[in-house]
Amino acid sequence: MGARSRDRRKPSIVLLAVEIMAVTATGLAVNLLTNALPKSWGWLSDWRIFAGIAAISVIVTFAIQWVKGRNAAVSEDPDQIEESTVGGSAAADQSARATGTGSIAIAGHANNSILATGSDARIDARKSIVVEGNLSVPANMPVTKGIRNLPRPPSYRFVGRTDTLSQLHELLQRGPGGVLGQAVQGLGGVGKTEVALQYIKQWGPQYAGAWWLNAETFESIETELAGLAGSIDPTAAAALDTPKAADWALDWLSTHEGWLVVLDNVSELEHISRIVATTLNGGSILVTSRRQIPWSSLGLGSISISSLRRDASISLLSRVMGEGSEDADAALLASDLGDLPLALEQAGAYLAQSRSVSIANYRERLKGQPLAVLSEVAEGTPADRAVAATLKITTDAIAEKYPFALEILAILSYFAPQGIPTEIVTIGPEDQRTSGHELSARFEFLRRTA
Ligand SMILES: Nc1ncnc2c1ncn2[C@@H]1O[C@H](COP(=O)(O)OP(=O)(O)O)[C@@H](O)[C@H]1O
Ligand SMILES: [Mg+2]
């Protein structure tokens, strides 16, 4: 507001002055030249020639600027004209600018126009700029029903987990002591994301709006929150940088009720503490995480999910493999794979594609070369969906923070899968000593049983 601007449809006085000066200077130069030219060229110094050129160039300047002004979409606020604070212009390149209180800029072709209102509204071919004071107030933006940003469709081969889903729903609806957040935690590939997807499929429509946020890192949470802002108010989100758009989304969440936000694959509590604080007014948060960390410190309840029940594993295998999965062998394979859904899907898809390989063959190879077999995916499946790749994410994280702990885990892998006394793992160099307590608290591989 108050910024002076001119209406670009009118020819610029400065431009005209420059033009007159240029014509005069040319006149003087030609005058000097004609003294050196033969007499027959004397007519060049006639003043009427210069007057003619000057007049034509002024007319041409007027014409060009008038045509430019006509082609542009222009807006202005008539109330403000006297203060000379208003101007509006837009060029044929689909940009537009309008200044002054309540001014409007419109740009674009007939079928693709953008309208921005407010003081100093500007639009160009790349982005619209809405001055912050004119942004929509999050609290005033209505709830927009719908489910957004699902990373993939819920699996149509979903098996088991009925108790987990109803428990989750009950907790998210009522929540102990008003807590409306729940964390689903468990080993990579155990089906946390799938549970959240199935939850959203079954119960999502009951929420005023449901959003899925990839929450692995602080940056991804911020980007996804900015996306959430964009789905509620595209104009506001386009006008703000990512951190501000994320703040806008948090403001929206904290001023509305009845929404559901899924935070998938959270790795640190502090990454989500601000979002959790926004539930005070009444939204629900569903977290998934590999980490067994004190979720209750954020007021979140937690549900631990582990491998599938054997009957569910067998039915998943047969759904993936289609006809021909022999039950007895399928049960043995499910047991070899620890009833881990990711492993069952990987093995089932591989077997479905390689009809010549029987379940018995596959089990034999798995026993002989577990790493090679667990790295092998069916054609068309991304390699990072292999069990080996999924588990490697965890082992890499351990290696980075506690290299010695990885060696302990390697030794422990020779033990039977039953309980191992924690004293055994309190070994190692003084500076890298890691207790069994610490390991089990940090990594989903280990679970303390006593
Ligand atoms: N209960 C289930 N029924 C059928 N498929 C499942 C089930 N749980 C997980 N899956 C499948 O197993 C794979 C791994 O599950 P996912 O949810 O991504 O694991 P996580 O999030 O725990 O790492 C996915 O392809 C998923 O579709
Ligand atoms: Mg997941």
Side-chain angles (χ1 to χ4, degrees):
M1 224 186 26
R4 289 184 178 258
S5 73
R6 65 183 177 80
D7 185 335
R8 282 184 223 160
R9 284 172 303 170
K10 292 175 194 148
S12 145
I13 300 294
V14 179
L15 198 66
L16 285 179
V18 169
E19 232 172 82
I20 288 165
M21 278 161 66
V23 170
T24 314
T26 316
L28 282 172
V30 172
N31 214 317
L32 287 173
L33 254 175
T34 45
N35 291 338
L37 287 173
K39 272 218 160 117
S40 55
W41 289 82
W43 57 271
L44 260 180
S45 59
D46 192 323
W47 68 271
R48 278 166 296 197
I49 297 284
F50 294 105
I53 293 171
I56 289 167
S57 84
V58 168
I59 290 165
V60 168
T61 306
F62 264 93
I64 288 173
Q65 296 202 17
W66 183 76
V67 168
K68 259 177 126 179
R70 264 181 61 109
N71 282 346
V74 174
S75 80
E76 57 189 17
D77 177 355
D79 296 345
Q80 300 288 317
I81 284 171
E82 278 175 28
E83 286 178 38
S84 304
T85 57
V86 175
S89 73
D93 65 356
Q94 300 182 40
S95 67
R97 181 190 176 97
T99 58
T101 313
S103 57
I104 297 170
I106 302 172
H109 291 305
N111 295 335
N112 186 24
S113 301
I114 303 173
L115 166 67
T117 63
S119 177
D120 204 20
R122 263 174 293 147
I123 302 169
D124 67 23
R126 287 144 293 150
K127 59 178 180 179
S128 58
I129 299 146
V130 181
V131 177
E132 254 182 67
N134 297 312
L135 286 174
S136 57
V137 178
N140 297 341
M141 292 303 288
V143 179
T144 46
K145 215 171 162 67
I147 296 168
R148 295 165 188 86
N149 307 348
L150 293 194
R152 56 182 158 91
S155 170
Y156 60 92
R157 299 191 286 234
F158 187 67
V159 293
R161 306 279 191 226
T162 35
D163 292 351
T164 308
L165 282 174
S166 37
Q167 193 188 355
L168 206 51
H169 187 55
E170 198 176 311
L171 292 170
L172 281 173
Q173 289 302 292
R174 289 194 267 112
V179 175
L180 289 173
Q182 289 297 320
V184 176
Q185 99 204 2
L187 189 69
V190 81
K192 305 174 294 293
T193 297
E194 191 59 50
V195 162
L197 285 167
Q198 297 291 336
Y199 180 81
I200 227 171
K201 175 183 165 191
Q202 199 169 339
W203 304 107
Q206 290 202 354
Y207 288 88
W211 285 270
W212 186 283
L213 271 57
N214 168 22
E216 206 164 347
T217 61
F218 183 79
E219 290 71 29
S220 63
I221 295 176
E222 199 169 59
T223 311
E224 302 258 291
L225 277 174
L228 192 159
S231 77
I232 299 168
D233 184 352
T235 317
L240 298 171
D241 60 18
T242 305
K244 282 190 176 163
D247 285 348
W248 192 100
L250 287 175
D251 275 353
W252 189 91
L253 291 171
S254 66
T255 47
H256 290 82
E257 310 179 337
W259 46 262
L260 170 70
V261 164
V262 176
L263 297 167
D264 189 34
N265 221 358
V266 174
S267 55
E268 302 290 343
L269 280 180
E270 54 273 25
H271 289 175
I272 61 163
S273 51
R274 277 186 74 206
I275 304 188
V276 173
T278 62
T279 46
L280 291 178
N281 235 14
S284 300
I285 287 181
L286 174 53
V287 169
T288 81
S289 175
R290 295 169 191 229
R291 304 275 313 271
Q292 202 177 339
I293 39 184
W295 299 104
S296 57
S297 65
L298 284 184
L300 299 174
S302 73
I303 299 176
S304 216
I305 61 167
S306 49
S307 334
L308 291 173
R309 282 186 15 209
R310 184 62 44 81
D311 53 344
S313 292
I314 296 170
S315 99
L316 176 55
L317 263 180
S318 72
R319 284 180 195 199
V320 180
M321 291 176 64
E323 297 301 314
S325 55
E326 316 92 275
D327 270 3
D329 280 347
L332 291 171
L333 178 58
S335 157
D336 292 347
L337 295 172
D339 298 297
L340 188 72
L342 181 69
L344 295 164
E345 265 203 337
Q346 184 183 339
Y350 183 84
L351 286 163
Q353 259 181 20
S354 326
R355 286 285 169 196
S356 58
V357 183
S358 69
I359 294 184
N361 289 155
Y362 188 87
R363 288 188 58 223
E364 220 164 277
R365 283 188 50 216
L366 182 65
K367 206 168 166 202
Q369 303 165 283
L371 187 61
V373 175
L374 292 176
S375 307
E376 214 166 47
V377 289
E379 223 169 289
T381 310
D384 64 355
R385 296 297 294 155
V387 174
T390 305
L391 297 185
K392 194 165 181 302
I393 294 172
T394 304
T395 51
D396 284 351
I398 298 176
E400 198 176 299
K401 281 193 178 165
Y402 309 95
F404 190 70
L406 197 62
E407 287 179 37
I408 299 173
L409 287 175
I411 295 166
L412 294 181
S413 70
Y414 287 94
F415 285 63
Q418 280 80 29
I420 302 167
T422 51
E423 301 79 57
I424 288 183
V425 291
T426 314
I427 50 174
E430 196 67 48
D431 60 331
Q432 286 192 37
R433 189 161 292 181
T434 313
S435 74
H437 287 264
E438 198 181 334
L439 271 182
S440 61
R442 286 180 186 277
F443 303 112
E444 74 263 15
F445 277 144
L446 298 178
R447 184 163 303 130
R448 266 177 68 80
T449 51

